[in-house]
Amino acid sequence: MAEPEFAATGVRIGKRLRSLTRAGQVRISDGRLELLTSYGSEIDSAPVQAVRASKPWFAHDDRALADVNGTRYTLTLGEHDPAPGEPGPPAARRFIEAVRRAAGRGH
């Protein structure tokens, strides 16, 4: 299996006002985005070209939105990238850039 283009753990994943997991995983690998629970069970996945990732204008810097298969998920990642060797999710901005890059929509 190829190295994932983006991987984050400790991500809070929610749908509408409901939290699905507080320590989930987000992975982009082989052209697919996967949202996983802390135990590795799949919440949702889709080809990255079908995913829309954006930054909500009304939220903190650690939040990102991901539209996957017609469902909008709120992802709470880190506000800043963790220091090298330190645990913690990467910044939401890096997730959005990774989705656009993997889909061929950005640089």
Side-chain angles (χ1 to χ4, degrees):
M1 190 160 108
E3 186 70 23
E5 294 139 47
F6 179 87
T9 57
V11 179
R12 181 182 294 254
I13 302 173
K15 183 165 65 169
R16 299 192 186 249
L17 296 176
R18 196 171 110 227
S19 177
L20 300 175
T21 182
R22 293 188 336 191
Q25 302 172 47
V26 177
R27 209 171 28 217
I28 299 173
S29 182
D30 297 326
R32 287 191 72 76
L33 170 77
E34 297 176 299
L35 302 178
L36 307 168
T37 66
S38 55
Y39 299 110
S41 301
E42 185 176 293
I43 295 170
D44 209 343
S45 71
V48 78
Q49 289 87 355
V51 175
R52 275 189 37 221
S54 60
K55 176 89 182 78
W57 59 271
F58 55 85
H60 294 283
D61 285 342
D62 62 349
R63 300 265 168 84
L65 296 175
D67 290 325
V68 182
N69 296 323
T71 303
R72 177 169 286 177
Y73 295 95
T74 304
L75 308 176
T76 305
L77 294 107
E79 200 164 322
H80 305 287
D81 287 331
E86 292 293 313
R93 169 187 46 75
R94 220 172 92 212
F95 164 72
I96 295 167
E97 290 169 1
V99 169
R100 291 182 180 153
R101 191 171 43 252
R105 292 188 296 246
H107 33 261

